[in-house]
Amino acid sequence: MLPDHAPDKDEGLDTLPEPRPVYYAEQALLGALLLEPHRLPDITGVEPDSFAQHAHGALFAAIRSLPTPDPGRHAKDASWLTAVLTTARKHTRGLTASYLHTLVQVCPWPKHAPAYARMVETDHARRTLRLLAHRLKQTATDTTLPQPVSAALAEADALARCADDLAARFRAHPGSLPRTPAPPPGGTLSGHDEEALDEERSLLATAIAHPAEAEQMRWLTAQDITHPLHAGLWQCLTALTRRGAPVDPVTVLWEAQHKGLLTAEITPRELLDLLETPPGGSPPYWGERILKRGVLATAQRVGARIAAFTDDPATTPYQLVVGSRRALADLTSLRTRWERANHPTPPTMPAYSRTSPPPRASPPSVTTPPSPRISR
């Protein structure tokens, strides 16, 4: 059963959380409609599932399902309220007539019902976006999925559609950038991250052994590689291949020297040892594993970022739109490169072929008419 009023700390209910502002907005909206049901046509953008409280949603559904009573008769007769309560109880037990009385009492102004409905709609949009953001985070970390990247990108698409829907329903305003601090990055270099480092070492070693294959991997960038040294070495290797220069451990070592990668902690011998032991597999194989890891890590980070926006009550609906779109943009370039890695563009064939150039067009022939014969 819903409480007739917000929990009071003096009642020994310190363990109960204080209701959020939307709780009171829902009460005010329902109270307005119970008092003046004829205002229901003015309520737009709100559905029964828009309410955070299930019982409130059941009451709203019951109000919508019943014919609107005559205002004069409604002021004198409580039969319509009884019908609302009976209908709502079919879906939610514990509702009482006293709680409907409470809703009527706590409504400040029934004429403000559209404003209360907008508050309910706004909070529902926030909760929907939060749910989708958490689903993106969970999907990106679910190791049981057969196609985790496809599943994560599908959840990102759902988030983008939700942001588009919010943009259409809530007006833009100045200062639309959210001010919510970014959540701290989680995890340290251990366990699962060591596997990522092994994959990066394998990529470098196989790319040294097969530079022609590495040269075709334009879809992999140094930003996809987690270790700074490995990222720098990948840049050295790709720079050599694109210049058409010889590629082997020594040439990469020489390029690394010019890039400032050799330090007191990284000696030339250690660098050569890293590059001279090619494992199994091929550069594209290891590159796809690295890119896959990057896509999932970015998806998890994007989900956490958008969830942080929704958890900040100071973030307006349109700030949620702008912040979500910016966060999702970080995933867009990765998605494009992932698709290029898995679906390379086939070479285009010319529209037609010819073995010899067409004959050059000659100027049009002009027939000169015979000059008239002059007779003497």
Side-chain angles (χ1 to χ4, degrees):
M1 182 173 65
L2 287 174
D4 287 350
H5 54 80
D8 191 340
K9 292 183 179 181
D10 295 336
E11 298 177 2
L13 300 177
D14 296 341
T15 57
L16 293 178
E18 178 69 21
R20 297 185 300 114
V22 70
Y23 175 83
Y24 302 102
E26 292 180 1
Q27 283 191 323
L29 173 60
L30 293 173
L33 295 178
L34 292 173
L35 274 170
E36 301 180 1
H38 66 275
R39 297 189 181 277
L40 183 61
D42 300 331
I43 307 305
T44 59
V46 173
E47 298 293 332
D49 61 357
S50 301
F51 291 81
Q53 295 286 333
H54 175 70
H56 289 170
L59 278 171
F60 183 74
I63 292 172
R64 288 204 315 183
S65 67
L66 296 174
T68 303
D70 176 74
R73 181 179 178 182
H74 180 60
K76 302 176 183 179
D77 187 357
S79 59
W80 184 80
L81 294 177
T82 302
V84 168
L85 180 60
T86 302
T87 304
R89 276 177 170 171
K90 296 177 182 178
H91 305 282
T92 301
R93 295 181 178 181
L95 282 173
T96 63
S98 63
Y99 187 66
L100 267 64
H101 180 69
T102 298
L103 294 176
V104 170
Q105 284 185 320
V106 299
C107 177
W109 292 98
K111 64 181 179 180
H112 294 166
Y116 306 145
R118 190 64 165 172
M119 298 172 192
V120 173
E121 180 186 8
T122 299
D123 191 76
H124 177 248
R126 184 186 302 274
R127 296 196 313 273
T128 301
L129 199 63
R130 180 186 297 121
L131 174 63
L132 293 174
H134 283 295
R135 282 175 52 178
L136 176 59
K137 287 174 52 181
Q138 293 171 357
T139 302
T141 56
D142 189 349
T143 58
T144 65
L145 295 174
Q147 300 292 334
V149 172
S150 298
L153 294 179
E155 294 295 342
D157 289 339
L159 262 172
R161 288 192 297 270
C162 182
D164 291 342
D165 177 62
L166 296 185
R169 290 159 51 195
F170 295 94
R171 186 180 59 182
H173 55 79
S176 295
L177 288 176
R179 300 180 181 180
T180 309
T188 56
L189 189 62
S190 63
H192 189 68
D193 297 317
E194 283 295 340
E195 182 180 351
L197 296 181
D198 288 339
E199 292 174 352
E200 293 171 4
R201 298 185 192 104
S202 300
L203 169 70
L204 293 171
T206 54
I208 291 286
H210 307 283
E213 295 184 43
E215 201 277 332
Q216 302 298 321
M217 297 167 55
R218 302 298 179 95
W219 40 264
L220 187 70
T221 69
Q223 287 74 24
D224 302 321
I225 300 176
T226 59
H227 197 287
L229 174 61
H230 298 166
L233 290 173
W234 178 252
Q235 287 180 317
C236 294
L237 194 149
T238 54
L240 291 173
T241 59
R242 289 167 189 174
R243 293 202 306 262
V247 177
D248 60 39
V250 174
T251 60
V252 174
L253 172 64
W254 191 256
E255 187 78 10
Q257 175 182 242
H258 292 296
K259 298 290 185 181
L261 299 180
L262 296 178
T263 63
E265 291 78 18
I266 305 296
T267 65
R269 183 65 263 171
E270 291 173 334
L271 202 58
L272 287 174
D273 291 341
L274 172 65
L275 301 173
E276 286 179 342
T277 310
S282 64
Y285 170 79
W286 296 112
E288 285 188 21
R289 290 180 66 90
I290 291 170
L291 188 58
K292 171 184 174 182
R293 192 184 299 275
V295 171
L296 295 177
T298 302
Q300 180 185 10
R301 190 163 55 248
V302 168
R305 182 72 171 132
I306 296 176
F309 293 150
T310 63
D311 290 336
D312 186 354
T315 307
T316 67
Y318 203 78
Q319 285 178 324
L320 290 176
V321 172
V322 175
S324 298
R325 285 176 169 174
R326 288 205 171 191
L328 287 167
D330 295 340
L331 201 55
T332 301
S333 62
L334 275 171
R335 177 201 290 261
T336 301
R337 293 191 284 112
W338 173 257
E339 292 174 351
R340 286 171 55 191
N342 288 271
H343 306 285
T345 304
T348 57
M349 298 296 294
Y352 62 91
S353 61
R354 58 179 183 235
T355 57
S356 60
R360 178 179 294 180
S362 57
S365 59
V366 178
T367 304
T368 305
S371 59
R373 187 174 182 180
I374 303 175
S375 58
R376 294 181 180 179

